[in-house]
Amino acid sequence: MRTSGPDETQALAARLAERLKPGDIVLVSGELGAGKTTFVRGACRALGVSEPVVSPTFTIGRRYRGRIPVSHLDLYRLDDLAAEDPALLEDYLTPDAIAFVEWPAVAEPEFANVAARVTIAHAGGNEREITISV
Ligand code: ADP
Ligand code: MG
């Protein structure tokens, strides 16, 4: 699907969010500035999260309070999960929460309940090509 601005990307994410349930994991891929965090923000708003949704910086993840708890992970700075504490993800990938993971590749084998894979690519200006596969 093609979006022409952040609002449209958030609306698309909100539609996906309606189908998610606790324990679901959504992997969000795409280069820096593609709109991964924007997408996660749209999904979070639809799930009733009112606090700011920004990429975690000093930790690998954040938890938000919504109608359903939401975890937001960004593994950009995680070079090698094997070299880290393997329990690192466990605080976030809990059965009660819906989890969104930016830069998931480094931890790909760790994700059991992948409900959807989202890929966002620049398509000129504010256009983005977004693929959602389940
Ligand atoms: P990422 O998390 O992938 O690094 P961000 O969501 O933080 O990306 O940033 C995306 C930037 O691109 C934001 O400044 C956003 O306003 C802008 N943008 C422009 N057009 C779009 C679009 N169609 N979808 C999403 N973001 C867009
Ligand atoms: Mg981001």
Side-chain angles (χ1 to χ4, degrees):
M1 284 147 286
R2 194 58 76 100
T3 67
S4 308
D7 291 352
E8 285 184 28
T9 295
Q10 293 195 54
L12 196 60
R15 283 193 358 234
L16 170 66
E18 285 166 18
R19 309 204 308 256
L20 299 173
K21 58 182 191 311
D24 282 350
I25 300 174
V26 177
L27 308 184
V28 188
S29 304
E31 58 188 46
L32 218 56
K36 299 180 296 299
T37 300
T38 300
F39 187 94
V40 175
R41 187 176 299 123
C44 285
R45 292 287 175 259
L47 292 166
V49 174
S50 55
E51 60 203 287
V53 174
V54 295
S55 266
T57 45
F58 299 112
T59 58
I60 63 159
R62 309 179 63 204
R63 294 217 12 147
Y64 307 120
R65 264 191 309 276
R67 281 190 298 282
I68 300 170
V70 179
S71 290
H72 178 193
L73 292 96
D74 185 323
L75 307 183
Y76 184 64
R77 286 169 205 81
L78 197 63
D79 295 326
D80 181 6
L81 186 64
E84 308 274 344
D85 181 355
L88 211 55
L89 300 176
E90 280 174 20
D91 290 343
Y92 300 101
L93 305 181
T94 52
D96 61 319
I98 293 171
F100 294 90
V101 187
E102 299 186 43
W103 301 100
V106 68
E108 182 76 50
E110 302 291 322
F111 302 119
N113 293 320
V114 177
R117 290 166 196 275
V118 179
T119 305
I120 310 178
H122 289 273
N126 288 343
E127 303 276 312
R128 301 289 190 273
E129 185 61 36
I130 303 182
T131 309
I132 301 178
S133 63
V134 290

